[in-house]
Amino acid sequence: MKEKSIKKNAFYSFLKAFFRLVFPLITFPYASRILLPAGIGKVNSANSISSYFHLLALLGIESYAVREAAKLKDDKQALSKFSVEILCINTVSMIISYSLFFLALFFIPKLSEIRNLLLVCGTGIFFSTVGMDWLFQATEEFKYTTTATFISQIIGVVFLFLFVKSDGDCIYYAVFSIITTVGRNICNIFYAHKFITFRIKEKLEIKKHLKPIFVFFGMTISTSLYETLDTTVLWALSTDTEIGYYSAATKITRIIVGLLVAVSAVLLPRLSYYKKNNEEEKINSLASEGLNLIVLLSLPIVFGLIGIAKPLILIFCGKAYLPAIPSMYIISPLIYVMGISSLIGGQYLPAINKEKIPLISYISGAIINFTFNCLLIPSYGAKGAAIGSLLAETCVMLIQFIYIHKVFLNKEFIINTLEALFSSTIMLVVLIILYRLLENYSPFLQILVQISAGIIIYFIILMIFKNSLLKKYLLIIKSKLRK
């Protein structure tokens, strides 16, 4: 298979994440005003609970499958055999997951309050299992996945505006979320034939995959626990309205995190390929550049989000969600923290077969998140959940970074971080001043002026510092323009 361009892969992956940013900017403001905090809270509760069964069905297979399939992408027969083996394991885990899902649905009384929503959200388990997203990531088909994502999101938007008309239309909003998140997986089933055949004459070797899959499952379940536990504990100990506030604060943050994760998501198949060929220098060089780029992008976004929090909430969600602003301040640093951990724990360490390190970090994060959620949510609601999430994610990042600091903690990384931090701080000061000056104007004007000024100030200061990474990418852009 011809080796694809990392830059093109990154572009398509970023474009897919960009669509995931743009569409919620269109749909969530509409849905949040129609369904109000309580309605949004109910749907997010159902999504959070169904995600645990979703997690069991996927069994941590995706990261393992991406890594291993990337090594086999030049051999169609071997890739086909591997894919069928993984599908067999996935089918069994899906059946077990659905069995437990329906048992919980009918025997846990509190779930009866949102039973219909759970049934809708539960359909995502099937689509995710048969969709084989890992195959297209391993074969670096980022152009296809971007196109399929765009089409499914267009269909979802049309569905939302046609069917979500009142605060009682929570079911339709749940259907919309399924269409936009896993709708493309229907196409995946048919497109997979381009890369693999399902007619395997050789004996399947399923057993050999089980041990590494369960290690990745431990990683995935730990990650999911501290990413969704906050909403679940809010559902158990607080109110739908508090969940709505928390959802508003985290929705914006996690959309932006998705953009940063997209930058690093293209690295795992390539890093795994380099690992197979023992190209250690290429592995470290590629991962180091990715980490520096995430730092350069994430820090100004964190500070910028704090500076525009109020007008952003007003535009994105409406006045009913103003109590979400303090939670947004607390949760904003997750953009930096999760950006780094997604590269180290999600891409670099699995690629070099060190997935046990992320597993330890994720288990630690889950324990911290559960502990602080239980302690803080009864008194502080959404703000308590935000503190728990931030502490958990920070713990995860620190454990991972401590393990690999000898590889990445060099002069270039330190200088790049300090320059980005200083530039972001100056930018935030200017944003606060601009907000005070424009406080009586419309939120749209405030954000337009603040974002424009923030971007210009940040990059001007970086250019004054002669930031090495910025210089490199400016030269690349310049050379492309000349052509």
Side-chain angles (χ1 to χ4, degrees), residues 151-417:
I151 293 171
S152 66
Q153 287 177 328
I154 287 288
I155 295 170
V157 170
V158 172
F159 180 90
L160 177 73
F161 289 130
L162 285 177
F163 292 97
V164 178
K165 299 291 186 180
S166 70
D167 58 4
D169 291 333
C170 294
I171 289 287
Y172 294 127
Y173 185 62
V175 173
F176 155 78
S177 70
I178 292 296
I179 294 171
T180 53
T181 53
V182 294
R184 71 181 184 279
N185 288 14
I186 298 172
C187 301
N188 291 359
I189 300 168
F190 302 100
Y191 194 63
H193 288 277
K194 180 179 177 181
F195 306 97
I196 61 172
T197 176
F198 292 97
R199 296 178 181 178
I200 305 299
K201 297 179 180 179
E202 303 172 59
K203 183 181 178 181
L204 298 180
E205 300 174 274
I206 291 175
K207 190 176 179 180
K208 70 177 184 180
H209 302 300
L210 296 180
K211 183 177 178 181
I213 279 176
F214 279 112
V215 172
F216 275 99
F217 180 57
M219 291 168 54
T220 309
I221 198 168
S222 302
T223 308
S224 180
L225 277 174
Y226 70 74
E227 285 184 351
T228 60
L229 199 59
D230 38 21
T231 303
T232 307
V233 177
L234 273 169
W235 172 71
L237 301 179
S238 191
T239 64
D240 288 335
T241 301
E242 282 294 319
I243 298 173
Y245 296 149
Y246 185 68
S247 300
T250 57
K251 184 79 172 179
I252 298 167
T253 303
R254 292 192 184 276
I255 288 170
I256 298 169
V257 168
L259 290 173
L260 295 174
V261 171
V263 173
S264 62
V266 301
L267 300 182
L268 180 56
R270 187 60 57 87
L271 290 170
S272 300
Y273 188 77
Y274 288 155
K275 178 65 177 176
K276 178 190 175 186
N277 297 305
N278 296 315
E279 297 178 274
E280 299 293 334
E281 190 174 332
K282 285 187 177 181
I283 291 173
N284 292 336
S285 175
L286 183 59
S288 182
E289 183 171 337
L291 189 64
N292 277 298
L293 181 59
I294 284 174
V295 169
L296 205 66
L297 293 173
S298 64
L299 282 174
I301 295 174
V302 170
F303 284 76
L305 202 57
I306 292 170
I308 64 171
K310 185 175 181 179
L312 188 60
I313 286 287
L314 286 171
I315 293 171
F316 198 59
C317 307
K319 288 183 179 180
Y321 293 82
L322 284 176
I325 292 174
S327 298
M328 194 169 176
Y329 290 148
I330 297 167
I331 215 82
S332 294
L334 280 184
I335 295 167
Y336 170 78
V337 173
M338 291 182 71
I340 290 179
S341 62
S342 71
L343 188 144
I344 298 173
Q347 312 298 325
Y348 177 74
L349 289 171
I352 62 172
N353 301 325
K354 297 292 183 182
E355 56 269 13
K356 289 184 180 179
I357 306 303
L359 174 59
I360 293 169
S361 70
Y362 297 147
I363 291 172
S364 303
I367 293 170
I368 288 174
N369 199 18
F370 179 74
T371 302
F372 280 94
N373 277 334
C374 290
L375 290 173
L376 298 175
I377 283 175
S379 299
Y380 301 102
K383 294 187 286 294
I387 293 169
S389 290
L390 181 59
L391 291 173
E393 292 284 1
T394 303
C395 171
V396 169
M397 182 199 73
L398 289 175
I399 290 172
Q400 294 173 2
F401 195 83
I402 287 169
Y403 182 80
I404 53 86
H405 75 279
K406 291 181 181 178
V407 177
F408 296 112
L409 191 59
N410 49 39
K411 184 179 178 181
E412 181 186 9
F413 177 79
I414 293 171
I415 291 173
N416 185 62
T417 301

Side-chain angles (χ1 to χ4, degrees), residues 409-479:
L409 191 59
N410 49 39
K411 184 179 178 181
E412 181 186 9
F413 177 79
I414 293 171
I415 291 173
N416 185 62
T417 301
L418 290 175
E419 289 176 353
L421 186 61
F422 180 82
S423 304
S424 300
T425 304
I426 299 300
M427 180 193 73
L428 176 59
V429 172
V430 174
L431 292 182
I432 293 171
I433 293 170
L434 286 172
Y435 174 74
R436 297 298 181 193
L437 292 173
L438 300 169
E439 196 168 3
N440 296 322
Y441 292 85
S442 73
F444 287 100
L445 180 62
Q446 291 173 27
I447 282 188
L448 181 63
V449 173
Q450 284 180 296
I451 290 178
S452 301
I455 292 172
I456 293 169
I457 289 165
Y458 181 71
F459 283 106
I460 285 176
I461 297 173
L462 284 183
M463 289 174 70
I464 292 171
F465 280 126
K466 297 181 180 178
N467 181 271
S468 59
L469 197 60
L470 179 63
K471 283 171 63 179
K472 177 182 177 178
Y473 282 98
L474 286 176
L475 286 172
I476 292 172
I477 294 170
K478 191 175 180 180
S479 64

Side-chain angles (χ1 to χ4, degrees), residues 70-126:
K71 299 173 184 176
L72 304 171
K73 64 181 181 180
D74 296 329
D75 185 341
K76 184 174 181 179
Q77 192 60 35
L79 181 60
S80 298
K81 179 174 176 290
F82 172 80
S83 299
V84 172
E85 289 167 349
I86 294 300
L87 275 175
C88 288
I89 296 170
N90 230 167
T91 301
V92 173
S93 64
M94 179 182 70
I95 292 170
I96 294 171
S97 176
Y98 268 126
S99 300
L100 294 173
F101 177 73
F102 286 111
L103 283 172
L105 204 58
F106 291 100
F107 288 101
I108 298 177
K110 192 169 174 61
L111 294 183
S112 62
E113 300 170 12
I114 51 172
R115 182 176 293 165
N116 291 336
L117 285 172
L118 283 167
L119 286 170
V120 172
C121 295
T123 60
I125 297 171
F126 172 77

